[in-house]
Amino acid sequence: MSDDTNIEKAIEQVNGVLAGNPRAPHVKAFFHEPTFTATYVVSDDQTKRAAIIDSVWDFDQPSGRTSLEAADEIIDYVREAGLTVDWILETHAHADHLSAAPYLQEKLGGEMAIGRDIVTVQGVFGKVFNEGTEFERDGSQFDRLLEDGDELMIGDIPLIALHVPGHTPADIAYIVGDAAFIGDTMFMPDYGSARADFPGGNARNLYRSVRRLMRLPDKTRVFLCHDYKAPNRTEFVWETTMLAQRTANVHLHEDVDEDEFVDMRTQRDATLEMPRLILPAIQVNMRGGHLPPPEDDGTSYLKMPVNKL
């Protein structure tokens, strides 16, 4: 199925919700300020089925200690709301926080899913961290690998997966009813776009992915993975509309052409420091949220490659 067919299918779905069929999903956001990450519980109010998107496992880098406060908050909400979790979804292998997906799956059930191109990320970072042959680079750490256009259900509400590479090669956006969960493709309109200089990232691909998403109807609810508060804004915000993105995104509004964006993004990325948690986060997230296997003393260790990134 072509890219055009899949985005047209998503457009039709959003328009259907706006017209009253199917119904819109309920979205509950949890903002994790230490990593500036928004996690979402997306549910069908009638069937009480749900999905969790982009969860966070707390990690204190100086001490190497983990905690589960952010994940437990989600578990409490799901149980109090009487929801059944069918899916635990990742938009990509995050470089700025560790995923709590396995812990959530243990406590709440559901299948873990990510884009099929996670295998590309595993191949690249398997070399960066000099992982041995015991590290599987086939995405088998996840229950399902999603292709562009794949369809899932959250109760009676359809979900369409769209492959939107650029920030990483594996990024997936989830269109659930009239709501688009777009990962790190875009931030709030006053903040702009995600970087594209990680291994496998590509600013030109990011531009094209965003333009594809911007074909969604104006009233599409757009939910972001992060917010960092733009200059002169005092509050964190993680929800906007596609109309606002199309007309007002400071990096990607409709009057910005591809070459202009690529030049801006390339120059901007060259000035950015690496994310604070990229080394531990990628080692965990490319394993589906699991730590590396314990060594002979029973402890898991995270590597710190020197002068490699």
Side-chain angles (χ1 to χ4, degrees), residues 60-126:
D60 180 67
Q61 190 166 20
S63 68
R65 293 189 178 277
T66 62
S67 63
L68 294 160
E69 293 177 8
D72 284 338
E73 185 180 1
I74 291 169
I75 291 168
D76 290 344
Y77 168 77
V78 166
R79 289 175 173 167
E80 289 170 7
L83 301 176
T84 299
V85 173
D86 291 324
W87 299 101
I88 300 173
L89 305 172
E90 302 288 350
T91 55
H92 62 294
H94 310 276
D96 39 32
H97 70 271
L98 282 63
S99 169
Y103 176 70
L104 292 172
Q105 184 179 49
E106 175 189 343
K107 298 297 183 181
L108 298 173
E111 292 186 61
M112 290 168 46
I114 198 169
R116 180 167 296 281
D117 282 285
I118 185 64
V119 300
T120 302
V121 175
Q122 290 174 329
V124 169
F125 281 97

Short mmCIF file of all heavy atoms in Angstrom, two decimals, residues 60-126:
data_model
loop_
_atom_site.label_atom_id
_atom_site.label_comp_id
_atom_site.label_asym_id
_atom_site.label_seq_id
_atom_site.Cartn_x
_atom_site.Cartn_y
_atom_site.Cartn_z
N ASP A 60 18.26 8.02 37.58
CA ASP A 60 19.18 9.02 38.11
C ASP A 60 20.58 8.67 37.63
O ASP A 60 21.19 7.71 38.12
CB ASP A 60 19.13 9.06 39.63
CG ASP A 60 20.09 10.09 40.20
OD1 ASP A 60 19.85 11.29 39.98
OD2 ASP A 60 21.08 9.68 40.83
N GLN A 61 21.09 9.43 36.68
CA GLN A 61 22.36 9.05 36.06
C GLN A 61 23.56 9.11 37.01
O GLN A 61 24.40 8.19 36.98
CB GLN A 61 22.62 9.94 34.83
CG GLN A 61 23.79 9.46 33.98
CD GLN A 61 23.83 10.13 32.63
OE1 GLN A 61 23.24 11.18 32.43
NE2 GLN A 61 24.50 9.52 31.68
N PRO A 62 23.69 10.11 37.86
CA PRO A 62 24.87 10.12 38.74
C PRO A 62 24.98 8.88 39.62
O PRO A 62 26.08 8.36 39.86
CB PRO A 62 24.67 11.39 39.57
CG PRO A 62 23.86 12.28 38.71
CD PRO A 62 22.92 11.37 37.98
N SER A 63 23.84 8.38 40.12
CA SER A 63 23.89 7.22 41.01
C SER A 63 23.66 5.91 40.28
O SER A 63 23.95 4.83 40.82
CB SER A 63 22.82 7.36 42.10
OG SER A 63 21.52 7.26 41.52
N GLY A 64 23.12 5.97 39.05
CA GLY A 64 22.77 4.75 38.33
C GLY A 64 21.54 4.06 38.90
O GLY A 64 21.28 2.89 38.59
N ARG A 65 20.74 4.78 39.68
CA ARG A 65 19.57 4.17 40.30
C ARG A 65 18.31 4.44 39.48
O ARG A 65 18.12 5.51 38.92
CB ARG A 65 19.38 4.70 41.73
CG ARG A 65 20.48 4.26 42.68
CD ARG A 65 20.15 4.62 44.12
NE ARG A 65 21.18 4.15 45.03
CZ ARG A 65 21.26 2.91 45.51
NH1 ARG A 65 20.35 2.02 45.17
NH2 ARG A 65 22.24 2.57 46.33
N THR A 66 17.45 3.43 39.44
CA THR A 66 16.17 3.56 38.77
C THR A 66 15.05 3.63 39.80
O THR A 66 15.19 3.16 40.93
CB THR A 66 15.90 2.37 37.83
OG1 THR A 66 15.83 1.17 38.61
CG2 THR A 66 16.98 2.25 36.78
N SER A 67 13.93 4.23 39.39
CA SER A 67 12.72 4.21 40.22
C SER A 67 11.52 4.20 39.29
O SER A 67 11.64 4.44 38.09
CB SER A 67 12.68 5.41 41.17
OG SER A 67 12.63 6.63 40.44
N LEU A 68 10.36 3.94 39.86
CA LEU A 68 9.18 3.67 39.04
C LEU A 68 8.02 4.61 39.35
O LEU A 68 6.86 4.28 39.09
CB LEU A 68 8.75 2.21 39.24
CG LEU A 68 9.77 1.19 38.71
CD1 LEU A 68 9.55 -0.16 39.35
CD2 LEU A 68 9.68 1.09 37.20
N GLU A 69 8.32 5.78 39.87
CA GLU A 69 7.27 6.70 40.27
C GLU A 69 6.38 7.09 39.10
O GLU A 69 5.16 7.10 39.20
CB GLU A 69 7.88 7.95 40.91
CG GLU A 69 8.57 7.67 42.24
CD GLU A 69 9.23 8.92 42.80
OE1 GLU A 69 9.01 10.01 42.22
OE2 GLU A 69 9.95 8.80 43.81
N ALA A 70 6.99 7.45 37.97
CA ALA A 70 6.21 7.89 36.82
C ALA A 70 5.34 6.76 36.28
O ALA A 70 4.17 6.96 35.95
CB ALA A 70 7.14 8.41 35.72
N ALA A 71 5.90 5.55 36.21
CA ALA A 71 5.13 4.41 35.73
C ALA A 71 4.02 4.02 36.70
O ALA A 71 2.90 3.68 36.27
CB ALA A 71 6.07 3.22 35.48
N ASP A 72 4.30 4.10 37.98
CA ASP A 72 3.28 3.74 38.97
C ASP A 72 2.10 4.71 38.94
O ASP A 72 0.95 4.31 39.19
CB ASP A 72 3.89 3.70 40.37
CG ASP A 72 4.73 2.45 40.61
OD1 ASP A 72 4.49 1.44 39.91
OD2 ASP A 72 5.60 2.49 41.50
N GLU A 73 2.36 5.96 38.61
CA GLU A 73 1.27 6.92 38.48
C GLU A 73 0.32 6.51 37.36
O GLU A 73 -0.91 6.62 37.49
CB GLU A 73 1.84 8.32 38.22
CG GLU A 73 0.79 9.41 38.19
CD GLU A 73 1.38 10.79 37.93
OE1 GLU A 73 2.61 10.89 37.75
OE2 GLU A 73 0.60 11.76 37.89
N ILE A 74 0.89 6.01 36.28
CA ILE A 74 0.06 5.55 35.16
C ILE A 74 -0.71 4.30 35.56
O ILE A 74 -1.91 4.16 35.26
CB ILE A 74 0.96 5.28 33.94
CG1 ILE A 74 1.51 6.60 33.40
CG2 ILE A 74 0.19 4.53 32.85
CD1 ILE A 74 2.60 6.45 32.39
N ILE A 75 -0.06 3.37 36.25
CA ILE A 75 -0.73 2.15 36.70
C ILE A 75 -1.91 2.49 37.60
O ILE A 75 -3.00 1.93 37.45
CB ILE A 75 0.27 1.23 37.41
CG1 ILE A 75 1.29 0.68 36.40
CG2 ILE A 75 -0.44 0.08 38.11
CD1 ILE A 75 2.48 0.00 37.03
N ASP A 76 -1.70 3.40 38.52
CA ASP A 76 -2.79 3.81 39.41
C ASP A 76 -3.96 4.38 38.62
O ASP A 76 -5.14 4.06 38.90
CB ASP A 76 -2.29 4.85 40.42
CG ASP A 76 -1.34 4.27 41.45
OD1 ASP A 76 -1.29 3.03 41.58
OD2 ASP A 76 -0.64 5.05 42.12
N TYR A 77 -3.68 5.21 37.64
CA TYR A 77 -4.75 5.81 36.83
C TYR A 77 -5.51 4.73 36.07
O TYR A 77 -6.75 4.72 36.05
CB TYR A 77 -4.17 6.83 35.85
CG TYR A 77 -5.16 7.26 34.81
CD1 TYR A 77 -6.17 8.17 35.11
CD2 TYR A 77 -5.11 6.73 33.52
CE1 TYR A 77 -7.11 8.55 34.15
CE2 TYR A 77 -6.05 7.11 32.55
CZ TYR A 77 -7.04 8.01 32.88
OH TYR A 77 -7.96 8.37 31.93
N VAL A 78 -4.79 3.82 35.43
CA VAL A 78 -5.43 2.77 34.63
C VAL A 78 -6.34 1.92 35.51
O VAL A 78 -7.49 1.61 35.13
CB VAL A 78 -4.35 1.90 33.95
CG1 VAL A 78 -4.95 0.60 33.39
CG2 VAL A 78 -3.68 2.69 32.83
N ARG A 79 -5.86 1.55 36.68
CA ARG A 79 -6.68 0.71 37.56
C ARG A 79 -7.89 1.46 38.12
O ARG A 79 -9.00 0.92 38.16
CB ARG A 79 -5.80 0.17 38.69
CG ARG A 79 -4.80 -0.88 38.19
CD ARG A 79 -3.84 -1.32 39.28
NE ARG A 79 -3.01 -2.44 38.82
CZ ARG A 79 -1.93 -2.88 39.45
NH1 ARG A 79 -1.55 -2.31 40.59
NH2 ARG A 79 -1.24 -3.90 38.96
N GLU A 80 -7.68 2.71 38.50
CA GLU A 80 -8.80 3.49 39.03
C GLU A 80 -9.86 3.75 37.97
O GLU A 80 -11.06 3.81 38.29
CB GLU A 80 -8.28 4.81 39.61
CG GLU A 80 -7.48 4.63 40.90
CD GLU A 80 -6.78 5.91 41.33
OE1 GLU A 80 -7.04 6.97 40.68
OE2 GLU A 80 -5.99 5.86 42.29
N ALA A 81 -9.44 3.89 36.71
CA ALA A 81 -10.38 4.14 35.63
C ALA A 81 -11.02 2.85 35.11
O ALA A 81 -11.91 2.91 34.25
CB ALA A 81 -9.67 4.86 34.48
N GLY A 82 -10.56 1.71 35.60
CA GLY A 82 -11.12 0.43 35.17
C GLY A 82 -10.79 0.08 33.73
O GLY A 82 -11.58 -0.59 33.05
N LEU A 83 -9.59 0.47 33.28
CA LEU A 83 -9.19 0.24 31.89
C LEU A 83 -8.45 -1.09 31.73
O LEU A 83 -7.78 -1.56 32.66
CB LEU A 83 -8.28 1.37 31.42
CG LEU A 83 -8.87 2.79 31.46
CD1 LEU A 83 -7.80 3.81 31.06
CD2 LEU A 83 -10.09 2.90 30.56
N THR A 84 -8.56 -1.67 30.55
CA THR A 84 -7.77 -2.83 30.16
C THR A 84 -6.80 -2.38 29.07
O THR A 84 -7.21 -1.85 28.04
CB THR A 84 -8.67 -3.95 29.60
OG1 THR A 84 -9.57 -4.36 30.62
CG2 THR A 84 -7.83 -5.14 29.15
N VAL A 85 -5.52 -2.58 29.31
CA VAL A 85 -4.49 -2.13 28.38
C VAL A 85 -4.23 -3.22 27.33
O VAL A 85 -3.84 -4.33 27.67
CB VAL A 85 -3.18 -1.77 29.12
CG1 VAL A 85 -2.07 -1.45 28.13
CG2 VAL A 85 -3.42 -0.60 30.05
N ASP A 86 -4.45 -2.87 26.08
CA ASP A 86 -4.18 -3.80 24.98
C ASP A 86 -2.83 -3.55 24.32
O ASP A 86 -2.23 -4.48 23.77
CB ASP A 86 -5.28 -3.68 23.91
CG ASP A 86 -6.62 -4.20 24.40
OD1 ASP A 86 -6.63 -5.19 25.15
OD2 ASP A 86 -7.66 -3.62 24.04
N TRP A 87 -2.36 -2.29 24.36
CA TRP A 87 -1.13 -1.93 23.64
C TRP A 87 -0.26 -1.02 24.49
O TRP A 87 -0.76 -0.11 25.16
CB TRP A 87 -1.47 -1.21 22.33
CG TRP A 87 -2.28 -2.03 21.39
CD1 TRP A 87 -3.63 -1.94 21.16
CD2 TRP A 87 -1.80 -3.11 20.58
NE1 TRP A 87 -4.02 -2.88 20.25
CE2 TRP A 87 -2.92 -3.61 19.85
CE3 TRP A 87 -0.55 -3.67 20.36
CZ2 TRP A 87 -2.82 -4.67 18.96
CZ3 TRP A 87 -0.44 -4.73 19.46
CH2 TRP A 87 -1.56 -5.20 18.78
N ILE A 88 1.04 -1.27 24.44
CA ILE A 88 2.04 -0.38 25.02
C ILE A 88 2.95 0.02 23.86
O ILE A 88 3.70 -0.81 23.33
CB ILE A 88 2.82 -1.06 26.15
CG1 ILE A 88 1.85 -1.48 27.27
CG2 ILE A 88 3.89 -0.11 26.70
CD1 ILE A 88 2.49 -2.29 28.36
N LEU A 89 2.83 1.26 23.43
CA LEU A 89 3.40 1.70 22.16
C LEU A 89 4.57 2.67 22.38
O LEU A 89 4.55 3.48 23.30
CB LEU A 89 2.32 2.40 21.33
CG LEU A 89 1.04 1.60 21.07
CD1 LEU A 89 -0.01 2.49 20.40
CD2 LEU A 89 1.33 0.37 20.21
N GLU A 90 5.55 2.57 21.51
CA GLU A 90 6.65 3.53 21.47
C GLU A 90 6.62 4.22 20.11
O GLU A 90 6.46 3.56 19.07
CB GLU A 90 8.00 2.83 21.65
CG GLU A 90 8.15 2.04 22.93
CD GLU A 90 8.29 2.92 24.17
OE1 GLU A 90 8.47 4.15 24.03
OE2 GLU A 90 8.22 2.37 25.29
N THR A 91 6.80 5.56 20.10
CA THR A 91 6.91 6.25 18.83
C THR A 91 8.29 6.06 18.20
O THR A 91 8.43 6.14 16.98
CB THR A 91 6.62 7.75 18.98
OG1 THR A 91 7.49 8.30 19.98
CG2 THR A 91 5.17 8.00 19.36
N HIS A 92 9.31 5.78 19.03
CA HIS A 92 10.67 5.53 18.53
C HIS A 92 11.53 5.10 19.72
O HIS A 92 11.04 5.06 20.85
CB HIS A 92 11.25 6.77 17.85
CG HIS A 92 11.40 7.97 18.73
ND1 HIS A 92 10.32 8.65 19.25
CD2 HIS A 92 12.51 8.64 19.18
CE1 HIS A 92 10.74 9.67 19.97
NE2 HIS A 92 12.07 9.68 19.96
N ALA A 93 12.77 4.77 19.45
CA ALA A 93 13.72 4.44 20.53
C ALA A 93 14.28 5.75 21.07
O ALA A 93 15.18 6.34 20.49
CB ALA A 93 14.83 3.55 20.01
N HIS A 94 13.76 6.20 22.18
CA HIS A 94 14.05 7.53 22.70
C HIS A 94 15.50 7.67 23.15
O HIS A 94 16.08 6.73 23.70
CB HIS A 94 13.13 7.83 23.88
CG HIS A 94 11.69 7.55 23.60
ND1 HIS A 94 10.87 8.46 22.96
CD2 HIS A 94 10.91 6.46 23.84
CE1 HIS A 94 9.66 7.94 22.83
NE2 HIS A 94 9.66 6.73 23.36
N ALA A 95 16.04 8.87 22.96
CA ALA A 95 17.40 9.17 23.41
C ALA A 95 17.42 10.02 24.67
O ALA A 95 18.49 10.35 25.16
CB ALA A 95 18.16 9.89 22.29
N ASP A 96 16.23 10.37 25.19
CA ASP A 96 16.18 11.30 26.31
C ASP A 96 15.50 10.74 27.54
O ASP A 96 15.41 11.42 28.56
CB ASP A 96 15.49 12.60 25.88
CG ASP A 96 14.31 12.35 24.96
OD1 ASP A 96 13.66 11.29 25.12
OD2 ASP A 96 14.07 13.17 24.07
N HIS A 97 14.98 9.53 27.46
CA HIS A 97 14.44 8.89 28.65
C HIS A 97 14.39 7.39 28.42
O HIS A 97 14.40 6.91 27.29
CB HIS A 97 13.04 9.42 28.99
CG HIS A 97 11.97 9.02 28.03
ND1 HIS A 97 11.68 9.77 26.91
CD2 HIS A 97 11.12 7.96 28.00
CE1 HIS A 97 10.70 9.19 26.24
NE2 HIS A 97 10.34 8.09 26.88
N LEU A 98 14.35 6.65 29.53
CA LEU A 98 14.24 5.20 29.46
C LEU A 98 12.77 4.81 29.43
O LEU A 98 11.94 5.42 30.11
CB LEU A 98 14.92 4.55 30.67
CG LEU A 98 16.44 4.44 30.67
CD1 LEU A 98 17.11 5.82 30.65
CD2 LEU A 98 16.92 3.66 31.91
N SER A 99 12.43 3.80 28.66
CA SER A 99 11.05 3.33 28.56
C SER A 99 10.72 2.38 29.71
O SER A 99 11.50 1.50 30.06
CB SER A 99 10.85 2.60 27.23
OG SER A 99 9.60 1.92 27.23
N ALA A 100 9.51 2.55 30.25
CA ALA A 100 9.02 1.66 31.30
C ALA A 100 8.10 0.58 30.75
O ALA A 100 7.37 -0.06 31.51
CB ALA A 100 8.27 2.48 32.35
N ALA A 101 8.14 0.35 29.43
CA ALA A 101 7.19 -0.56 28.80
C ALA A 101 7.17 -1.96 29.43
O ALA A 101 6.08 -2.49 29.69
CB ALA A 101 7.48 -0.65 27.30
N PRO A 102 8.30 -2.62 29.69
CA PRO A 102 8.22 -3.97 30.26
C PRO A 102 7.56 -4.01 31.63
O PRO A 102 6.81 -4.94 31.95
CB PRO A 102 9.69 -4.41 30.32
CG PRO A 102 10.39 -3.58 29.31
CD PRO A 102 9.69 -2.26 29.36
N TYR A 103 7.83 -3.01 32.45
CA TYR A 103 7.22 -2.94 33.78
C TYR A 103 5.71 -2.74 33.66
O TYR A 103 4.92 -3.42 34.35
CB TYR A 103 7.85 -1.81 34.56
CG TYR A 103 7.23 -1.57 35.93
CD1 TYR A 103 7.40 -2.48 36.96
CD2 TYR A 103 6.50 -0.41 36.18
CE1 TYR A 103 6.84 -2.26 38.22
CE2 TYR A 103 5.94 -0.18 37.43
CZ TYR A 103 6.11 -1.10 38.44
OH TYR A 103 5.55 -0.87 39.68
N LEU A 104 5.29 -1.85 32.78
CA LEU A 104 3.86 -1.63 32.57
C LEU A 104 3.19 -2.89 32.04
O LEU A 104 2.08 -3.24 32.44
CB LEU A 104 3.64 -0.46 31.61
CG LEU A 104 4.03 0.92 32.15
CD1 LEU A 104 3.95 1.96 31.05
CD2 LEU A 104 3.16 1.32 33.33
N GLN A 105 3.86 -3.58 31.14
CA GLN A 105 3.31 -4.83 30.60
C GLN A 105 3.17 -5.88 31.71
O GLN A 105 2.15 -6.58 31.77
CB GLN A 105 4.21 -5.36 29.48
CG GLN A 105 3.65 -6.60 28.80
CD GLN A 105 4.56 -7.06 27.67
OE1 GLN A 105 5.77 -7.20 27.86
NE2 GLN A 105 3.98 -7.30 26.51
N GLU A 106 4.16 -5.96 32.57
CA GLU A 106 4.10 -6.92 33.68
C GLU A 106 2.90 -6.63 34.59
O GLU A 106 2.22 -7.56 35.06
CB GLU A 106 5.39 -6.84 34.49
CG GLU A 106 5.41 -7.71 35.74
CD GLU A 106 6.63 -7.44 36.61
OE1 GLU A 106 7.61 -6.83 36.12
OE2 GLU A 106 6.58 -7.81 37.80
N LYS A 107 2.63 -5.36 34.85
CA LYS A 107 1.58 -4.99 35.78
C LYS A 107 0.19 -4.90 35.14
O LYS A 107 -0.82 -5.15 35.80
CB LYS A 107 1.91 -3.62 36.42
CG LYS A 107 3.20 -3.61 37.22
CD LYS A 107 3.13 -4.55 38.42
CE LYS A 107 4.39 -4.46 39.26
NZ LYS A 107 4.35 -5.39 40.42
N LEU A 108 0.16 -4.54 33.84
CA LEU A 108 -1.13 -4.23 33.22
C LEU A 108 -1.46 -5.09 32.00
O LEU A 108 -2.59 -5.06 31.51
CB LEU A 108 -1.15 -2.75 32.77
CG LEU A 108 -1.00 -1.71 33.89
CD1 LEU A 108 -0.86 -0.32 33.27
CD2 LEU A 108 -2.18 -1.76 34.85
N GLY A 109 -0.47 -5.86 31.51
CA GLY A 109 -0.71 -6.64 30.31
C GLY A 109 -0.53 -5.80 29.06
O GLY A 109 0.05 -4.72 29.09
N GLY A 110 -1.04 -6.30 27.94
CA GLY A 110 -0.91 -5.60 26.67
C GLY A 110 0.31 -6.05 25.90
O GLY A 110 1.23 -6.68 26.43
N GLU A 111 0.32 -5.73 24.61
CA GLU A 111 1.44 -6.06 23.73
C GLU A 111 2.29 -4.82 23.49
O GLU A 111 1.77 -3.72 23.30
CB GLU A 111 0.93 -6.58 22.39
CG GLU A 111 0.24 -7.93 22.45
CD GLU A 111 -0.10 -8.45 21.07
OE1 GLU A 111 0.82 -8.66 20.26
OE2 GLU A 111 -1.30 -8.61 20.78
N MET A 112 3.62 -5.00 23.48
CA MET A 112 4.55 -3.92 23.20
C MET A 112 4.78 -3.83 21.70
O MET A 112 5.06 -4.84 21.05
CB MET A 112 5.89 -4.16 23.92
CG MET A 112 5.82 -4.00 25.42
SD MET A 112 7.32 -4.62 26.24
CE MET A 112 8.62 -3.91 25.23
N ALA A 113 4.70 -2.60 21.16
CA ALA A 113 4.88 -2.42 19.72
C ALA A 113 5.69 -1.17 19.43
O ALA A 113 5.66 -0.19 20.19
CB ALA A 113 3.52 -2.34 19.02
N ILE A 114 6.39 -1.21 18.31
CA ILE A 114 7.23 -0.11 17.83
C ILE A 114 7.34 -0.28 16.31
O ILE A 114 6.96 -1.32 15.76
CB ILE A 114 8.62 -0.13 18.52
CG1 ILE A 114 9.34 1.21 18.38
CG2 ILE A 114 9.49 -1.29 17.98
CD1 ILE A 114 10.58 1.33 19.25
N GLY A 115 7.87 0.71 15.62
CA GLY A 115 8.05 0.61 14.18
C GLY A 115 9.07 -0.45 13.80
O GLY A 115 10.06 -0.66 14.51
N ARG A 116 8.85 -1.06 12.65
CA ARG A 116 9.73 -2.14 12.20
C ARG A 116 11.18 -1.68 12.03
O ARG A 116 12.12 -2.48 12.20
CB ARG A 116 9.22 -2.74 10.89
CG ARG A 116 10.09 -3.87 10.35
CD ARG A 116 9.43 -4.66 9.24
NE ARG A 116 8.24 -5.36 9.71
CZ ARG A 116 8.27 -6.50 10.40
NH1 ARG A 116 9.43 -7.06 10.71
NH2 ARG A 116 7.15 -7.08 10.78
N ASP A 117 11.39 -0.42 11.73
CA ASP A 117 12.76 0.04 11.52
C ASP A 117 13.56 0.19 12.80
O ASP A 117 14.69 0.67 12.78
CB ASP A 117 12.75 1.35 10.73
CG ASP A 117 12.52 1.10 9.24
OD1 ASP A 117 13.45 0.65 8.58
OD2 ASP A 117 11.39 1.33 8.77
N ILE A 118 13.01 -0.26 13.92
CA ILE A 118 13.82 -0.39 15.13
C ILE A 118 15.02 -1.29 14.85
O ILE A 118 16.09 -1.14 15.47
CB ILE A 118 12.99 -0.95 16.31
CG1 ILE A 118 13.83 -0.95 17.62
CG2 ILE A 118 12.47 -2.34 16.02
CD1 ILE A 118 14.24 0.41 18.11
N VAL A 119 14.90 -2.21 13.91
CA VAL A 119 16.02 -3.10 13.60
C VAL A 119 17.20 -2.31 13.05
O VAL A 119 18.36 -2.67 13.27
CB VAL A 119 15.60 -4.22 12.63
CG1 VAL A 119 14.50 -5.08 13.24
CG2 VAL A 119 15.15 -3.68 11.29
N THR A 120 16.93 -1.20 12.33
CA THR A 120 18.00 -0.33 11.85
C THR A 120 18.70 0.33 13.02
O THR A 120 19.94 0.40 13.08
CB THR A 120 17.43 0.73 10.90
OG1 THR A 120 16.77 0.09 9.81
CG2 THR A 120 18.53 1.63 10.36
N VAL A 121 17.93 0.83 13.98
CA VAL A 121 18.49 1.45 15.17
C VAL A 121 19.32 0.44 15.95
O VAL A 121 20.43 0.74 16.42
CB VAL A 121 17.36 2.04 16.05
CG1 VAL A 121 17.92 2.58 17.36
CG2 VAL A 121 16.60 3.11 15.29
N GLN A 122 18.81 -0.77 16.10
CA GLN A 122 19.56 -1.81 16.81
C GLN A 122 20.87 -2.13 16.11
O GLN A 122 21.89 -2.35 16.77
CB GLN A 122 18.70 -3.07 16.92
CG GLN A 122 17.52 -2.91 17.87
CD GLN A 122 16.60 -4.12 17.85
OE1 GLN A 122 16.46 -4.80 16.83
NE2 GLN A 122 15.97 -4.39 18.99
N GLY A 123 20.85 -2.14 14.79
CA GLY A 123 22.08 -2.41 14.04
C GLY A 123 23.12 -1.33 14.24
O GLY A 123 24.31 -1.62 14.48
N VAL A 124 22.68 -0.08 14.17
CA VAL A 124 23.61 1.05 14.33
C VAL A 124 24.17 1.10 15.74
O VAL A 124 25.39 1.16 15.95
CB VAL A 124 22.90 2.37 13.98
CG1 VAL A 124 23.77 3.57 14.39
CG2 VAL A 124 22.57 2.44 12.50
N PHE A 125 23.28 1.07 16.74
CA PHE A 125 23.75 1.25 18.12
C PHE A 125 24.32 -0.05 18.71
O PHE A 125 25.05 -0.01 19.69
CB PHE A 125 22.64 1.83 18.99
CG PHE A 125 22.49 3.31 18.80
CD1 PHE A 125 21.52 3.82 17.94
CD2 PHE A 125 23.34 4.19 19.44
CE1 PHE A 125 21.39 5.18 17.74
CE2 PHE A 125 23.22 5.56 19.25
CZ PHE A 125 22.24 6.06 18.40
N GLY A 126 23.99 -1.19 18.11
CA GLY A 126 24.68 -2.41 18.50
C GLY A 126 26.18 -2.29 18.27
O GLY A 126 27.00 -2.76 19.06
#
